[in-house]
Amino acid sequence: FRQFLFQNKDKDIIMYHGTIPDHDVWNKGLLPTSRTRRMSLQSGSGYVYVTYDPQRALSFARTGYPGEDVYVVYSITVPIKMLKPDADQLFNKRLWSNELHKDIGSSLADSLIYGGGARIKGRVETYRIAVQGFYDKNGNKVEHPSDFDRKY
């Protein structure tokens, strides 16, 4: 898998990011984490966290914003070379898993296989972003909120 990622580093891949629809994504893009914009104490500043699974993106949104009525999952099209390993997820996998996973490495391949995602350094530009879907607090796909277009 590492070899595949290296050989295809210039090719685009679709990843997913979950959040709430209140963010001004269409004017600002997806902004990286910072001290004031961090939904997890472990998240490093300066990154947008992504996953290959829309349901996992939704799960992260629901964890970061508990109790919201509507969540949005964005698809993000980026070249593989923009993806960086998610060191936080890899650390957790090593820390909380059984002996079988103690020797997990820190490569992008390890991050995707064992951590389920990756991170992108800096802001994700609007032209790379599309709405994958809107979801209610129970994870059911819902129609796009009526005020979403008016906000942005």
Side-chain angles (χ1 to χ4, degrees):
F1 188 54
R2 284 186 185 122
Q3 185 176 5
F4 171 84
L5 292 172
F6 179 76
Q7 290 173 344
N8 292 281
K9 65 185 175 194
D10 293 320
K11 294 193 175 160
D12 285 344
I13 188 169
I14 296 175
M15 301 294 284
Y16 300 93
H17 178 84
T19 187
I20 54 175
D22 295 350
H23 300 299
D24 190 5
V25 170
W26 303 125
N27 289 310
K28 297 180 180 179
L30 287 170
L31 299 177
T33 53
S34 68
R35 287 182 200 209
T36 58
R37 253 189 340 272
R38 182 175 301 160
M39 301 317 294
S40 168
L41 294 175
Q42 287 185 312
S43 295
S45 292
Y47 296 94
V48 173
Y49 289 80
V50 297
T51 177
Y52 56 79
D53 178 12
Q55 288 301 310
R56 186 179 289 238
L58 175 60
S59 174
F60 286 137
R62 291 170 64 193
T63 300
Y65 298 95
E68 291 291 324
D69 290 327
V70 178
Y71 299 93
V72 59
V73 173
Y74 293 106
S75 62
I76 302 166
T77 303
V78 294
I80 291 172
K81 66 184 172 190
M82 284 183 66
L83 299 176
K84 307 296 179 213
D86 184 342
D88 311 317
Q89 287 291 338
L90 289 170
F91 174 80
N92 287 335
K93 192 69 170 175
R94 281 187 219 99
L95 182 66
W96 299 108
S97 67
N98 58 31
E99 291 299 316
L100 179 66
H101 294 107
K102 295 293 183 191
D103 62 347
I104 292 172
S106 56
S107 71
L108 176 59
D110 293 317
S111 185
L112 292 168
I113 292 168
Y114 298 109
R119 54 191 185 170
I120 298 169
K121 181 81 172 152
R123 177 171 68 106
V124 176
E125 301 290 339
T126 57
Y127 73 91
R128 296 187 179 282
I129 303 167
V131 173
Q132 185 273 337
F134 294 93
Y135 299 85
D136 67 17
K137 59 186 164 191
N138 297 315
N140 300 308
K141 202 161 191 178
V142 297
E143 292 298 315
H144 133 321
S146 59
D147 64 342
F148 185 74
D149 289 331
R150 280 181 286 167
K151 284 183 181 178
Y152 309 109

